[in-house]
Amino acid sequence: MWIGLLASAQVLVPSQIEVIDPARKEWALGVVTAAGALAAVISAPLVGILSDRTQWRFGKRRSWIVGGSALCVAALLALPMQSSIVGVALCWILVHGGVGGIHAVVCAVVADRVAVNRRGTVFGVVDLAQPVGLVAGTLLVSNLPVEAAYPLVAVLVGLFALPYALVGRDVPGAARDTGRWLPDLAALGPDFAWAWTGRFAAQLATSLATIYLLYFLRDEIRMDDPVQGVAVLSLLFTAGIVVAGLLAGRLSDRLQRRKPFVITAALLMAVALSGMALISNWTVAVIAAAVLGAGYGAYLAVDQALVTQLLRNGGDRGKDLGTMNMAGSGAVVLAPVIAVGSVGHGGYTLLFMLAAGMAVLSGLLIQPIKSVS
């Protein structure tokens, strides 16, 4: 799932858009990115709700993971055939919408099957799929034309979905039907609302930092091979996520504390983003990528565990975690709008400073949560 989404988002879609409309590449990329993220905002809670209520013998969660993967494969295969921004946007809506649904269901699987005192560790492992998918996908496509790269990642999405399709199993239980289909933050309580807004701010920070990474390396740092630069920074970002995510998740399980880890991770992200804002050179970018990855990895692992402890009704896990995932997708919708204006008025310095501010805010918003320490 992450190979298909992130390799395309970091390299393939920006490169394709630059060929289609080089004069308005930033604007066009922002529109396409926002459209895809909006699809994920809708699909995450919708697929979560449907998985809660599904009674097919194939599996209430597994059915939607397989279906979402098939949708992503079809859309990725169609992308290289597009010669207009509208065509790219329509395909990207299907890719990102499919990923939004899959991610909501995967989070629900963990909440279904893992005890509370092990969720930090397990989410630390599960969340490794995102950075590994980013790095593996970016390295695979960095030297390929889009005509060959899109089919490659599409095949990998389908191939790696097969193990879960064949052997994945769901926790037995009756399908849930409360009659409530719309996300309801008020019903989930103020702690869930604080966690939702914190997740939104954290994802907005990382989205602002990465949406124009290819263009930043090409236009600001003036790298001869910005695609290769994206691959290197992605590798360092991943290394930070892997190490910090596993360590923070496991330590938070042992201490049974969540909030201090999430707040510290947010501040670590802010330090990295501030460095990129103040000094625009390759050395700082390399260091910042590793530090940002460490902060983001720790945030992902522990915040996911924290959120599962806020759920009030186990039968609505798919819907509630889909609602939480709307925060991340919603931030991705807003990020291009902010990024276009920031780069246009204050350059990349303003863009990264705004990202740093969002990272600090994401930590502050976790502090009022009372039901989880």
Side-chain angles (χ1 to χ4, degrees):
M1 174 184 76
W2 294 124
I3 285 176
L5 180 74
L6 298 178
S8 301
Q10 287 289 88
V11 177
L12 300 182
V13 172
S15 298
Q16 186 176 13
I17 286 175
E18 191 169 25
V19 171
I20 295 172
D21 192 352
R24 299 186 300 168
K25 61 185 180 183
E26 292 89 354
W27 175 86
L29 179 60
V31 170
V32 171
T33 302
L38 183 59
V41 169
I42 297 169
S43 69
L46 177 60
V47 175
I49 291 167
L50 291 171
S51 75
D52 287 336
R53 290 157 171 76
T54 294
Q55 301 184 58
W56 301 330
R57 293 181 62 187
F58 188 66
K60 60 186 292 186
R61 310 293 189 200
R62 182 167 59 165
S63 301
W64 295 98
I65 291 175
V66 173
S69 299
L71 181 65
C72 288
V73 169
L76 288 166
L77 289 173
L79 264 166
M81 305 175 192
Q82 308 308 311
S83 57
S84 69
I85 299 300
V86 173
V88 172
L90 290 174
C91 291
W92 193 241
I93 285 170
L94 296 179
V95 173
H96 209 157
V99 167
I102 298 168
H103 190 211
V105 176
V106 168
C107 291
V109 169
V110 177
D112 287 344
R113 299 186 58 188
V114 179
V116 169
N117 65 352
R118 296 189 64 218
R119 288 180 188 169
T121 302
V122 172
F123 273 118
V125 175
V126 170
D127 288 336
L128 293 183
Q130 182 174 348
V132 170
L134 169 64
V135 170
T138 302
L139 292 175
L140 284 170
V141 306
S142 60
N143 294 314
L144 293 176
V146 294
E147 294 80 7
Y150 278 125
L152 174 61
V153 295
V155 168
L156 291 175
V157 170
L159 182 65
F160 287 122
L162 283 178
Y164 194 88
L166 296 174
V167 303
R169 58 189 177 87
D170 296 330
V171 174
R176 178 74 174 172
D177 190 359
T178 61
R180 295 181 178 179
W181 282 72
L182 294 177
D184 188 352
L185 284 176
L188 288 164
D191 283 353
F192 190 92
W194 284 117
W196 194 98
T197 52
R199 176 80 63 85
F200 179 89
Q203 186 60 58
L204 183 57
T206 56
S207 297
L208 289 173
T210 57
I211 187 172
Y212 289 152
L213 185 58
L214 181 69
Y215 301 156
F216 170 72
L217 296 179
R218 175 176 294 161
D219 302 334
E220 186 78 8
I221 296 183
R222 301 189 182 280
M223 290 190 67
D224 294 331
D225 189 353
V227 172
Q228 193 63 36
V230 170
V232 171
L233 295 183
S234 298
L235 182 61
L236 293 168
F237 182 74
T238 297
I241 289 179
V242 169
V243 174
L246 290 174
L247 290 177
R250 180 132 181 112
L251 190 57
S252 73
D253 281 343
R254 286 188 175 183
L255 299 177
Q256 282 300 288
R257 299 290 300 277
R258 307 298 190 194
K259 287 167 55 178
F261 290 93
V262 176
I263 294 169
T264 301
L267 296 178
L268 196 60
M269 291 165 59
V271 169
L273 293 166
S274 298
M276 291 187 71
L278 298 174
I279 306 173
S280 296
N281 64 45
W282 175 244
T283 301
V284 172
V286 165
I287 297 171
V291 176
L292 180 62
Y296 190 53
Y299 193 102
L300 278 179
V302 183
D303 186 62
Q304 291 274 39
L306 181 152
V307 168
T308 62
Q309 292 178 235
L310 300 177
L311 303 183
R312 294 183 174 182
N313 193 324
D316 281 331
R317 282 173 180 154
K319 180 184 75 172
D320 295 342
L321 290 171
T323 301
M324 178 55 65
N325 287 348
M326 288 176 66
S329 300
V332 178
V333 173
L334 184 60
V337 179
I338 297 175
V340 168
S342 301
V343 173
H345 291 88
Y348 288 100
T349 297
L350 178 59
L351 178 66
F352 290 127
M353 284 304 298
L354 285 173
M358 288 297 103
V360 172
L361 181 61
S362 71
L364 294 176
L365 289 168
I366 297 298
Q367 183 59 39
I369 294 175
K370 296 179 180 179
S371 59
V372 178
S373 61

